[in-house]
């Protein structure tokens, strides 16, 4: 299937319903598509239909009210399809949650009747926990598999294991008897490609062979990744977090969390990471975990049939993704809370935490790195910090903020270019070119040749006296014996090796910054955490060494006085540089992730200072994080929960119809014929219609969704005798007497929402936006002194906000 | 002042306005009372009144609407007092937040004009962070002071330092030169009371003297505590968390967070902890931190004048309180999120975290325990755990759940007794009796004689071979030399000392359980964390030693096989037993607090298992936590955000007026005279009145609050010429022409809320409750087909919920 510009955000082609159908068909994502055709059949299989029983109870309870004596008529059984949503539409949180409460109430009421029903009720209550357990286990296992496979393929670029090609470098030498402790990563069983082909591991020719093989494998992996994504699951590209944010806010993108996406994303993630492109696996792991959760939801009716409940599970899955990516369960939960989730009740907090723990421990039992740690770059140190050291941390924060702002602008500009120009048509070529350039430039520099995680691990490393790494290439002071080991470690002048390493690091920094801008958003799975952590770690190490040398040569400077005397300078501490704060605008969760990585509260204050600074600096250049920017680029209907609506418009300014528009399309509760209703629905494209008492009084009765209306009329015409175009459509409780010779009326009160949300025309928009956000509304009706005046949809609000911000209101594509 | 039953929850006497005034007067809590008289004076001092300018913009923007050409008339300057709340009333979150957005908008708009205004805008943006910094510093400092003072006074019960009475035992011996390493807590400078009085530290007579002195001091401290609370700040008693939860949900209790409460609570907390009563300082520390925050809020106009913004700060302060209580900043933030806060935006998350960190580091710099740890009972171990060990953890969880359920029932029953019987009149006597009983029973048992924190610290201790503690009184195996140190430590039979210790611990467990039930809720500051942690730690240690001995004597049992072979059994690991889960129903935050105390992810899974089990077990006996139970006991209007409303009633069943009631009291937008309005207001007690177009059409225009109406009419009568009882009251935008000889009309559109919330009569109550919770409403109007039908207030909902749960609906006291 052909859907070229997808990953750079071009949904334009998808906007048309025809294309959506194609996507659904070609995707072969049956398990997702079936939601569209899902039937609320529990009402027909159970002996007491839930809504009828509920409304019966309501009628009984409603007798003591002051309203009409009988408020709710017994609803007919709901038709298949009524109450479901179309693709690329927003769900109605209130309705979904109310539906779930009805279901829950029914189960609770039944549980008193028999033991079996009680068991059903208990199993229903625990199904959420069971689901969480399964999500944790599956995500943890997948993450472990991805880690192992990526490790193996990455090493494949450099050489092969002669014992068995399925061993990675480390395991190959581990199994060998000839490995010595000094040279753990050197054994005869592991041969570089040059060694295998030319027979000699050294020399210019061997270097060229290795270089070419490196590029060859990089291109092969990249090609496989992009080809698989294009062929089987276009939704598998990118980090997935912008889309998951949108889905969690109540949008429907069918197939985005389906089984094909899961399979292809898992495979291509391994390939993309191994190809050496400047991308990480952390964002995509969140997507993978959400796919697992969505697929597992199908095991439980409670979650399969309710979009709101499903989103609670997905919120928890996002926490699981981060938990396995960083081995940080608490950080994962906070990430889900701070960054991804829209609606996060306390229940979800507990379940997220549980699932994140299960996943972390599954991953630990798989032990992909062979060190009983969950990540490659675990650090642990407890040296106290000095107040002076806050200054470089804040400096790093400023750098991080600038890099974040720059990155977002450049990346969005590039993605927009990809979306709007012919560049979008050459997705495969683009990936191949970028992979080739990356491989070409990365190989000569040892810091870019290694994978992002390895680079961070290397940069996080402490320098011990015996360390052979270039980064620890300090000159040995002549008087080592006099000053003792402690001092000689802390306070040494930089040597030749360190200067080389610094140059290489500086080049790597520039290279990483540039290539990441282009890489993020290509049609392969790509995360942003690792590249931005790598940039941060490089900058931190450079600054750390710089500070150290400055302190070495200027012991007498005032600020260094107390510092050097107590413990000498330490370049290592700046390694923990959470520069992501500028890019993603996460703060607390990032600090907690770092805290979990380091396992100590010691550095939390300088880290917090750096993160907050970088957030503030980046905010000064634009308040959007990278995910929000991508959401906007793609035109998703996402109502940012963090930002306040800061304009003094009223509901009447935003509602439709505007002054110049035709009058609001509405139905009357009686007096319209089926033909008239059909004509009205045909002539408009609105997704719902208010029902009023009469056109004159304009007093609001309820709200009917277009989809429900069409399905009901269609069904009635097929099954119900005598329903023709001239039949009356009746929304009242009591059917008015009709002429004996006329066709029987069609009663549709059952599909009408009797409690539509209304605001008055004077309601300030900030309050209206608050209501939309907090209740998760699709639309809201506007009244003036009790008369219906107009309607506000989520899209109207987003268009209005775009208009205020001088952006193109038509960039909001979906409702 | 006399307000006897307060702490056990008797607000009945406060219900009457007269008494409230008395409280306010006697309390001398001026800085709180001034909120009642606070004026929105920025509208009169600034050149452009904010609301006028906003409404001007709205009018301009409203021209393109389909409504009337001119929607909002320029509001007159708001009168002093309009928009404020009375004591024991619920705030309107929507209105408060809207007010703050207006203020913010005005500052932002002005900031473009001049540099000074820009600076004001920037300082406004950063004032939140500055406030957080101050809250953190102040709370940290106070917590440090409390720790030091409590430590000193606790030691005072046993003896005195001869060098200076202001030294506690540890410091006294620290300063002495004669202290040896073996006997760190024994030095000639520190003399027990018996030594000082009788001259001999040993013997029966000395024991009796010490016993009597212990009781004397305990009684003295308890008496001082209760006397201070009664005399100066009745609000200083209890843990304060139920009230803070209610305040954060939008209730007003003037003086509860005032300066007198802060001063008295700080002093009496030290006294109460030192008196040896079975209570902790953790809950009250949250109250102290909230007092600090509330007082510091008065420095910033933004927070002083806005109840909603103030509550954001208080949410963060709750996190600060836990952060200093346990040295757990992340746990504190999660505690605030999970347990205390009602409305917790992301901004608050960041700020809470910042403030919690600042407070933790302030406390660390004060270093009250002299060990650079933030708490007395820091533990650190990294031994892995075995799957078999989950079983005892779950067992502990079940015990915890049972104890939690039992505790809540017993405590609430006792508090209700205190509230309803004459017992409430003898608060001082009660405290003295309980203190005497506690001291009498606690002294002979060394585990109850020490303070709760010391006990936990002792129980958390590892047994080393040299340890002289009774708890480590194992028999030395004969073959020590053969098996090596490691094994001999892990695997020894219990000796005489250990058996004695176990007996004492078992007695202490029973004693703690019983006495805590009576203590919590007395008229002294009392927290629940430490006692319930102590109960948990005792149970955990008992079970741990039991398991260990079982394993020692039955090495061959299947379940012990793998376990003992790998590492031997460890009684220590069960020390971490967060039994609070059953009492407070916190889960995640409790686990995170434990995690921060232990500093390792290792034990998070068994801890989580224990906590979840105890929560589930306790939930089976009743879903309420101790704080919710106390809130209900006190009749506060608190709409529990965690529990779903699970009943199928409709809005029409809950709204007033009921069928038998008189018709809804409403105003018409024109045609009523001042006299008629006053008569209506006088004849009813409602706190607000809907305004309709006319009595016939019942079409809703707006909503007017009683307080605003009274103030406005009163003001108009005083200042505006010609306003007499016969004057027309007009709520329309255009004043209707009035007879030339008649009195001028009184225009009151300015005080009318033009955007009252409405639901239809068919709206299910679960949705309505959701709206109330999420938007923080005070009231909501009910309409049917566009006609006004009735009104639902928060109190109506709570009464309805009480009715459903077969509780007394009249237990809800406030609106």
């Amino acid at each position: 299937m052909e859907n070229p510009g997808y990953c750079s955000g071009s949904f334009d082609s998808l906007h048309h319903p025809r294309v959506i159908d194609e996507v659904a068909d070609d995707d072969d994502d049956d398990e997702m598509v079936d939601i569209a055709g899902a039937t609320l059949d529990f009402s027909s299989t159970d002996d007491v239909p839930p809504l009828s029983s509920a409304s019966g109870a309501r009628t009984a309870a409603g007798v003591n009210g002051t309203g009409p004596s009988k408020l709710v008529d017994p609803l007919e059984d709901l038709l298949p399809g009524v109450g479901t949503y179309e693709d690329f539409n927003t769900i109605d949180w209130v309705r979904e949650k109310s539906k779930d409460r009805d279901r829950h109430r029914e189960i609770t009421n039944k549980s008193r009747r028999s033991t079996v029903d009680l068991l059903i009720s208990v199993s229903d209550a625990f199904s959420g926990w069971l689901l969480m357990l399964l999500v944790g286990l599956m995500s943890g296992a997948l993450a472990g598999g991805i880690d192992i496979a990526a490790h193996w393929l990455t090493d494949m670029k450099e050489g092969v294991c002669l014992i068995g090609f399925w061993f990675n470098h480390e395991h190959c030498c581990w199994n060998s008897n000839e490995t010595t402790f000094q040279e753990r990563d050197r054994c005869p069983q592991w041969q570089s490609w040059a060694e295998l082909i030319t027979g000699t591991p050294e020399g210019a020719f061997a270097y060229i062979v290795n270089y070419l093989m490196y590029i060859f494998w990089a291109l092969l992996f990249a090609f496989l990744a992009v080809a698989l994504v294009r062929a089987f699951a276009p939704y598998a590209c990118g980090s997935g977090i912008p889309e998951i944010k949108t889905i969690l806010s109540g949008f429907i993108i069918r197939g985005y969390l389906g089984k094909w996406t899961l399979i292809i994303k898992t495979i291509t993630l391994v390939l993309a990471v191994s190809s050496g492109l400047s991308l990480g696996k952390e964002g995509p792991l969140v997507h993978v975990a959400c796919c697992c959760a969505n697929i597992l939801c199908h095991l439980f009716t409670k979650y399969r049939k309710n979009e709101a409940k499903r989103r609670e599970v997905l919120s928890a899955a996002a926490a699981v993704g981060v938990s396995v990516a960083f081995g940080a369960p608490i950080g994962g939960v906070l990430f889900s809370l701070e960054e991804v989730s829209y609606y996060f009740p306390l229940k979800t907090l507990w379940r997220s935490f549980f699932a994140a723990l299960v996943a972390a421990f599954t991953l630990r039992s798989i032990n992909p790195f062979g060190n009983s740690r969950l990540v490659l770059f675990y650090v642990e140190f407890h040296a106290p910090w000095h107040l002076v050291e806050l200054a470089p941390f804040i400096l790093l924060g400023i750098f991080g903020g600038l890099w974040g702002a720059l990155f977002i602008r450049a990346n969005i500009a590039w993605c927009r270019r990809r979306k709007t120009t012919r560049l979008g048509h050459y997705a495969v070529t683009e990936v191949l070119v970028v992979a080739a350039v990356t491989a070409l430039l990365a190989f000569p520099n040892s810091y870019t040749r290694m994978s992002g995680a390895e680079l961070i691990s290397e940069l996080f490393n402490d320098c011990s006296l015996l360390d052979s790494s270039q980064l620890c290439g300090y000159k040995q002071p002549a008087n080592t014996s006099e000053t003792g080991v402690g001092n000689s470690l802390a306070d040494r002048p930089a040597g030749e090796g360190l200067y080389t390493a610094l140059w290489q690091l500086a080049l790597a920094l520039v290279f990483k910054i540039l290539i990441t801008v282009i890489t993020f958003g290509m049609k392969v799975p790509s995360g942003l955490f690792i590249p931005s952590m790598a940039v941060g770690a490089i900058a931190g190490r450079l600054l750390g060494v710089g500070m150290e040398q400055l302190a070495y040569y200027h012991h007498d400077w005032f600020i260094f006085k107390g510092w050097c005397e107590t413990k000498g300078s330490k370049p290592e501490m700046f390694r923990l540089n959470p520069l992501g704060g500028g890019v993603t605008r996460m703060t607390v969760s990032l600090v907690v992730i770092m805290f979990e990585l380091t396992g100590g509260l010691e550095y939390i204050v300088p880290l917090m200072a750096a993160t907050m600074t970088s957030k503030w600096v980046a905010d000064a250049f634009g308040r959007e994080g990278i995910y929000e920017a991508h959401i906007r680029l793609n035109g998703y209907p996402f109502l940012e929960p963090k930002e306040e609506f800061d304009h003094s418009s009223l509901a009447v300014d935003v509602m439709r119809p505007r002054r110049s528009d035709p009058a609001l399309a509405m139905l009357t509760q009686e007096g319209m014929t089926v033909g008239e209703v059909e004509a009205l629905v045909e002539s408009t494209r609105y997704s719902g219609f208010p029902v009023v008492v009469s056109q004159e009084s304009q007093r609001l009765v309820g709200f009917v969704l277009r989809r429900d209306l069409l399905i009901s009329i269609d069904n009635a015409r097929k099954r119900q005798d005598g329903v023709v175009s001239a039949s009356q459509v009746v929304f009242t409780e009591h059917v008015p007497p009709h002429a004996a010779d006329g066709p029987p009326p069609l009663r549709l009160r059952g599909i009408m929402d009797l409690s539509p949300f209304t605001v008055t025309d004077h309601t300030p928009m900030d309050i209206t936006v608050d209501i939309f956000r907090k209740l998760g509304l699709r639309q809201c009706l506007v009244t003036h002194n009790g008369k219906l005046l107009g309607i506000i949809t989520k899209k109207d609000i987003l268009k209005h906000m775009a208009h205020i911000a001088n952006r193109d209101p038509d960039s909001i594509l979906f409702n």
Side-chain angles (χ1 to χ4, degrees), chain A:
Chain A
M1 69 155 281
E2 195 56 42
N3 177 17
Y6 173 67
C7 250
S8 52
S10 128
F11 262 123
D12 312 63
S13 57
L14 293 177
H15 195 197
H16 202 275
R18 195 187 49 78
V19 185
I20 293 171
D21 289 345
E22 272 182 26
V23 171
D25 290 339
D26 289 4
D27 245 15
D28 198 12
D29 242 335
D30 312 314
E31 88 283 13
M32 295 308 303
V33 177
D34 74 358
I35 304 163
T39 61
L40 288 169
D41 56 357
F42 61 90
S43 59
S44 53
T45 50
D46 297 333
D47 47 353
V48 181
L51 276 169
S52 312
S53 76
S55 69
R58 280 168 192 179
T59 316
V63 171
N64 64 345
T66 53
S69 63
K70 192 153 168 288
L71 280 169
V72 185
D73 61 336
L75 300 174
E76 48 268 62
D77 281 354
L78 282 175
L79 295 169
V82 167
T84 60
Y85 301 93
E86 276 174 24
D87 204 1
F88 293 103
N89 258 293
T90 300
I91 67 163
D92 189 336
W93 283 92
V94 177
R95 190 169 68 164
E96 293 294 311
K97 275 188 277 173
S98 189
K99 225 163 73 182
D100 181 65
R101 277 188 289 249
D102 282 340
R103 196 196 54 79
H104 183 246
R105 192 150 48 222
E106 200 213 356
I107 290 181
T108 316
N109 287 342
K110 276 172 91 178
S111 73
R112 280 168 213 137
R113 283 187 228 156
S114 72
T115 320
V116 176
D117 285 325
L118 185 68
L119 280 179
I120 290 174
S121 155
V122 170
S123 80
D124 181 74
F126 276 87
S127 66
W129 292 99
L130 180 60
L131 178 57
M132 284 298 141
L133 179 72
L134 293 177
V135 171
L137 289 173
M138 185 165 168
S139 309
L142 274 177
I146 289 172
D147 279 340
I148 290 169
H151 207 162
W152 168 59
L153 282 186
T154 304
D155 286 349
M156 181 74 99
K157 282 189 301 185
E158 300 191 347
V160 74
C161 186
L162 294 185
I163 317 172
F165 71 91
W166 56 87
F167 286 117
N168 68 32
H169 194 156
E170 197 180 343
H171 277 117
C172 187
C173 291
W174 207 336
N175 292 339
S176 157
N177 300 325
E178 297 159 58
T179 312
T180 55
F181 187 77
Q182 271 74 30
E183 293 193 306
R184 277 167 61 192
D185 55 349
R186 207 171 272 268
C187 59
Q189 281 76 13
W190 177 264
Q191 296 215 322
S192 71
W193 293 109
E195 222 170 328
L196 205 69
I197 296 168
T198 68
T200 162
E202 303 288 330
F205 185 59
Y207 185 82
I208 289 167
V209 169
N210 276 336
Y211 203 161
L212 289 177
M213 284 306 285
Y214 185 90
I215 294 173
F216 164 74
W217 285 110
L219 282 177
L220 181 68
F221 294 154
F223 174 74
L224 279 175
V226 69
L228 283 171
V229 165
R230 272 175 64 94
F232 297 106
Y235 283 142
C237 65
S239 86
I241 293 182
E243 282 79 14
I244 286 167
K245 275 190 83 160
T246 316
I247 289 174
L248 285 179
S249 82
F251 196 57
I252 294 199
I253 309 179
R254 286 203 203 294
Y256 198 84
L257 302 175
K259 67 170 180 290
W260 278 106
T261 310
L262 174 63
I263 295 168
I264 296 301
K265 188 130 196 174
T266 309
I267 297 171
T268 55
L269 177 58
V270 171
L271 291 168
V273 167
S274 314
S275 74
L277 285 166
S278 175
L279 44 81
K281 64 178 171 45
E282 280 64 23
L285 272 180
V286 172
H287 189 178
V288 165
C290 284
C291 288
C292 294
N294 188 52
I295 290 166
L296 289 168
C297 272
H298 284 79
L299 299 176
F300 302 90
T301 325
K302 183 174 169 183
Y303 295 99
R304 183 172 69 242
K305 291 198 173 145
N306 197 297
E307 296 286 342
K309 293 299 279 181
R310 182 122 46 106
R311 275 162 182 75
E312 287 179 18
V313 178
L314 292 180
S315 282
V320 169
V322 173
S323 167
V324 289
F326 294 103
I330 301 174
V333 173
L334 284 174
F335 168 80
S336 173
L337 177 68
E338 184 182 354
E339 186 59 25
V340 193
S341 297
Y342 202 79
Y343 171 69
F344 200 90
L346 272 178
K347 228 188 214 168
T348 309
L349 181 72
W350 302 331
R351 294 192 176 166
S352 306
F353 199 59
F354 174 71
L357 279 176
V358 171
F361 274 84
T362 311
L363 182 59
R364 173 179 286 191
S365 358
I366 294 175
N367 198 358
F369 301 110
N371 57 0
S372 96
R373 294 297 178 194
L374 298 174
V375 280
L376 204 50
F377 38 90
Y378 187 92
V379 254
E380 187 158 6
F381 47 48
H382 294 283
W385 54 277
H386 197 273
L387 212 60
V388 174
E389 290 170 328
L390 269 184
F393 266 102
I394 286 169
L395 213 68
L396 277 177
I398 293 172
F399 167 74
L402 290 176
W403 136 252
L406 178 97
F407 176 83
I408 291 173
R409 297 230 169 160
N411 181 255
I412 289 297
W414 184 257
C415 287
R416 178 160 287 128
R417 189 183 188 82
R418 188 184 286 140
K419 193 180 162 186
T420 50
T421 65
R422 291 187 53 78
L423 184 63
H425 296 285
Y426 303 107
V428 176
T429 324
E430 187 193 6
V431 171
L432 287 179
V433 169
V434 172
V437 170
T438 309
L440 210 61
L441 294 178
F443 188 82
N445 186 339
S446 63
Y447 291 108
T448 48
R449 194 195 304 175
M450 59 179 81
S451 73
E454 278 177 279
L455 171 62
I456 295 169
S457 158
E458 170 89 19
L459 289 169
F460 275 14
N461 232 1
D462 264 322
C463 275
S464 66
L465 268 180
L466 295 172
D467 210 316
S468 61
S469 148
Q470 271 196 319
L471 268 176
C472 303
Y474 290 93
K475 281 189 200 143
Q476 293 295 337
N479 52 352
T480 311
S481 50
E482 289 170 39
T483 51
V485 176
N487 198 21
S488 66
L489 236 181
D491 218 8
R492 290 178 298 170
E496 202 57 43
L498 185 56
Y499 279 118
T500 320
L502 289 186
W503 267 111
Q504 289 186 350
L505 277 183
L507 283 175
L509 183 65
V510 174
F511 169 70
K512 281 266 172 198
I513 287 177
L514 292 180
I515 205 79
T516 308
V517 168
I518 297 174
T519 308
F520 188 71
M522 287 199 311
K523 277 180 78 65
V524 288
S526 55
L528 201 56
F529 280 109
I530 290 283
S532 62
M533 268 183 82
V535 168
I538 295 174
R541 189 81 184 206
L542 288 178
L543 187 69
V545 175
M547 289 287 290
E548 180 196 45
Q549 293 305 314
L550 201 66
Y552 177 76
Y553 288 111
H554 301 278
H555 266 300
D556 47 346
W557 282 13
F558 174 69
I559 51 161
F560 292 125
K561 273 264 168 82
W563 190 24
C564 299
E565 279 162 16
T566 48
K567 56 205 154 58
S569 50
K570 312 174 304 299
E572 291 82 23
M573 68 165 290
F574 301 111
R575 300 167 307 185
L576 304 162
N577 185 19
L579 283 188
V583 178
T584 56
R585 306 295 159 85
M586 304 190 305
T587 51
V588 174
S589 42
L590 207 60
V591 170
V592 172
I593 288 172
M594 290 293 157
F595 161 66
E596 287 187 81
L597 284 177
T598 56
L601 271 176
E602 304 289 337
Y603 281 81
I604 217 165
V605 167
L607 278 179
M608 193 79 195
T611 325
M612 293 310 307
T613 315
S614 84
K615 185 187 148 65
W616 283 332
V617 169
D619 273 356
F621 289 93
R623 297 192 71 86
E624 274 182 338
I626 185 75
Y627 302 133
E628 285 83 38
H630 272 268
I631 286 174
R632 192 155 60 69
L633 185 70
N634 290 350
Y636 295 130
F638 184 74
L639 210 51
E640 178 56 55
K642 284 175 214 169
E643 236 166 293
E644 298 272 356
F645 182 84
D646 236 6
H647 206 260
S648 59
S649 22
L650 294 179
V652 74
D653 311 328
V654 179
M655 72 171 197
R656 284 177 309 171
R658 300 299 166 83
R659 191 204 275 276
S660 53
D661 295 346
L664 184 67
M666 54 179 93
L667 306 169
T668 53
Q669 63 174 352
E670 50 189 18
M672 286 181 92
T673 64
V674 170
E676 281 167 1
V677 170
E678 281 178 328
L680 182 72
V681 172
E682 284 297 310
S683 66
T684 58
R685 300 205 37 165
Y686 306 129
S687 48
F689 302 91
V691 179
V692 293
V693 173
S694 65
Q695 288 285 356
E696 298 75 46
S697 75
Q698 303 240 329
R699 290 200 330 234
L700 182 69
V701 176
F703 193 82
V704 175
L705 288 177
R706 177 198 191 90
R707 185 180 164 89
D708 294 352
L709 197 60
L710 285 175
I711 292 175
S712 301
I713 292 180
D714 202 46
N715 188 66
R717 274 185 184 272
K718 275 187 202 144
R719 303 205 195 152
Q720 203 177 330
D721 283 340
V723 170
V724 292
S725 293
S727 299
Q728 289 257 327
V729 175
V730 177
F731 290 100
T732 51
E733 331 164 40
H734 302 292
V735 182
H738 63 281
D741 54 341
L746 174 60
R747 300 185 61 208
L748 289 181
R749 193 178 176 83
I751 61 163
M752 181 167 67
D753 178 10
L754 286 166
S755 50
F757 280 86
T758 54
V759 294
T760 67
D761 51 352
H762 285 88
T763 311
M765 271 313 286
D766 50 2
I767 293 181
T768 314
V769 170
D770 236 34
I771 298 174
F772 266 82
R773 270 184 205 147
K774 291 202 178 142
L775 300 179
L777 299 186
R778 265 163 81 105
Q779 75 276 321
C780 183
L781 296 163
V782 182
T783 60
H784 173 74
N785 289 4
K787 282 186 180 177
L788 181 64
L789 213 61
I791 188 170
I792 296 179
T793 63
K794 203 170 175 182
K795 194 175 179 180
D796 293 331
I797 291 181
L798 287 163
K799 282 189 167 183
H800 180 71
M801 286 165 102
H803 180 73
I804 288 173
N806 285 322
R807 286 188 261 114
D808 177 22
D810 294 325
S811 64
I812 314 296
L813 295 179
F814 309 103
N815 204 349

